Amino acid sequence: MSATGTRRLTTAQALVRFLAAQYTERDGVRHRLIAGTWGIFGHGNVAGVGQALVEYGGVMPFHQGRNEQAMVHAAVGYARQLNRLSAQAVTTSIGPGATNLVTGAALATVNRLPVLLLPGDYFASHAAGPLLQQLEHPVEADVSVNDALRPVSRYFDRINRPEALLASALRAMRVLADPAETGAVTLALPQDVQAEAFDWPEEFFADRVWRVRRPAPDPEELTEAVRALRAARRPLIVAGGGVHHSEAETALTALADATGIPVASTQAGKGALRHDHPADLGGIGHTGTAVADDLARTADLVIGVGTRYSDFTTASGTLFQDPDVRFLNLNITAFDAHKLAARTLVCDARAGLTALTEALTGHRVPSSYEDEYRAGRSRWEEKVGAAFRADDDSAVPTQTQVLGALDAVVGDEDVVINAAGSLPGDLHKLWRSRSPRQYHLEYGYSCMGYEIPAALGVQQAAPGTAVWALVGDGTYLMNPTEIVTAVQENLPVKLVLVQNHGYASIGGLSESVGAERFGTDYRHRAADGTFTGAPLPVDLAANAASLGMDVLRAKTVRELREALATARAATRPTCVHVETEAARDALPAEAWWDVPVAEVSAREPVNDARARYEQAVADRRHHL
């Protein structure tokens, strides 16, 4: 340190040291904002950020990844588990290392989850160009492949001079810590600037606290909301991920207890109420329960709490069918609060729910309404029990029986992670969430390959917790490489690998739209292009073992139960491999989803599907 109050460091050293001093604080509890850095090194970051992480290894933990996209998924899983109050950074080389971040960045931003991306970039000086892996543009010399990250980042900057970091780093932290704006944040780092020294103001490295506010509802908006709630005869709450991010589960439970208003949940919001709470209806929308969707069709007031109303939630605009239905949206983001022409409560979820409960003192929904939805809950629970039950322990399990076996093994605080395939639909309908963080479905981007790396991030955020990654064979083949990282860092994640020889979810969708399951099976292809029906000789359990996991093979329901119990007690990364019955026994969708069908075709399955499509799309409403 010099006598003038500056510290001479490279740009990369200054950035790492700065990140180590950033904190969030909510409700008086402080968290590291950037708790660690994932990295894969190459030219573009090895001599800059890589050297800085060596320099400051005592204050900035480092985690070695195997795939750049997977590193982002791990960081996102970490941030979600900690309610967005703590995040991680990801550093990559230039070129393909940087562009591999794009999918993970989109996932983070779609789901409103914070992650800091630090891709290497070309020389700011242009002195050594064209570089290996540099994209050359004939008329825009300042373009790099990192510009692909702009549309999927909430904040983007390219640090072309050391001093530019002073302002940009602060802006980046503000976005990461802001619950209304958070998502992927990208600071593209030219490799020559990373290594360049600068005299940094000492204040840049002082501990800095970013307070995560709980804005209260506007009094006039609150008055209007209460008036609407008191007038409603069939109100329904739709709980989204914002309930969890705000840690508002207790406040939601208090509102449901006081008023009797039933609660249905999106994929991100499931677990906002415990599954056995009298007002919990389970999932809503295309993958929802019968009781939730039936009530949604007749609700006269829909109260969205922390939801962005995806097409799965609204059944592509066909779910809420009462002629006079109106919406009241409680959301910290005005953009989401105004959807469906709703009355708005733009505020923190916990603050808003608490204010509503206090203002609704003495109000309760009609007892006949409570009796109706409780009876519906009871009928649905019978269907869940039937789907989970296996009458023959020596039989090959179905996919829903796999979930039933897992349901019998998990503890209240275990975390179950999934993102894509046929499992999200079964889980949303059937899973019995026992705690707020147990149900971890990434369904905003529904990204195949998310589950295994996300499990690593969740395990880092919740050491001592049993973390389960549920994947089908299609998802596993997309991104199994972080198994090696789990072994390296001794993260005892539990992988449930369901082998059903193909893309089960998209195969079913393909059949429903007249595409005849084309290209969705993992089976031998004959010379004439048809599938022979014989499964490929692929042993995914052996693959997981080759990457360092302990592997348990389960062929029957009994073996599955035993394997799951063994995996839960394991202290090493452990895989339970199970081949399921080919014919899935999943419960059918209780609401529609819009996937347009070819308007003309010479094939009869397409014409049949088109007729069903036109009938369904006629029910779409534009809520104005």
Side-chain angles (χ1 to χ4, degrees), residues 234 236 284-286 288-300 302 315 318-325 589-592 619 621:
R234 299 180 65 82
L236 172 65
I284 191 170
H286 178 63
T289 68
V291 58
D293 286 352
D294 285 347
L295 259 68
R297 292 184 181 96
T298 59
D300 58 356
V302 178
T318 65
L319 186 58
F320 306 109
Q321 284 296 326
D322 185 278
D324 298 317
V325 66
E590 297 290 339
W592 186 60
D619 290 332
R621 295 184 60 186

Side-chain angles (χ1 to χ4, degrees), residues 267-283:
Q267 287 279 17
K270 193 171 171 74
L273 291 187
R274 265 188 64 103
H275 74 93
D276 53 2
H277 190 282
D280 181 61
L281 307 181

Side-chain angles (χ1 to χ4, degrees), residues 489-554:
E489 300 216 0
N490 195 30
L491 297 170
V493 296
K494 295 92 172 59
L495 170 62
V496 180
L497 177 50
V498 180
Q499 172 62 275
N500 54 24
H501 302 288
Y503 299 122
S505 174
I506 205 68
L509 177 62
S510 172
E511 186 173 40
S512 73
V513 298
E516 303 172 53
R517 293 185 178 265
F518 177 75
T520 63
D521 284 333
Y522 291 161
R523 298 180 184 274
H524 282 287
R525 188 184 291 275
D528 64 358
T530 61
F531 289 104
T532 65
L536 297 174
V538 175
D539 190 342
L540 298 183
N543 178 264
S546 76
L547 296 176
M549 275 196 138
D550 292 343
V551 175
L552 305 168
R553 296 175 183 261

Side-chain angles (χ1 to χ4, degrees), residues 69 73 103-104 107 419-420 442-451 475:
Q69 176 181 320
H73 293 337
T103 296
L107 180 148
E442 186 289 296
Y443 215 59
Y445 210 51
S446 186
C447 185
M448 296 177 73
Y450 171 82
E451 295 91 338
T475 288

Side-chain angles (χ1 to χ4, degrees), residues 22 24-25 69 73 82 140 197 217 226 238 364 389 398 407 425 429 432-433 446 484-485 504 541 569 577 618:
Q22 307 304 302
T24 63
E25 185 176 282
Q69 176 181 320
H73 293 337
L82 295 177
E140 295 183 55
V226 170
V238 176
R364 195 166 185 89
R389 187 167 52 248
T398 64
D407 175 76
K429 292 187 187 77
R432 297 160 169 160
S433 298
S446 186
V484 178
T485 300
H577 177 276

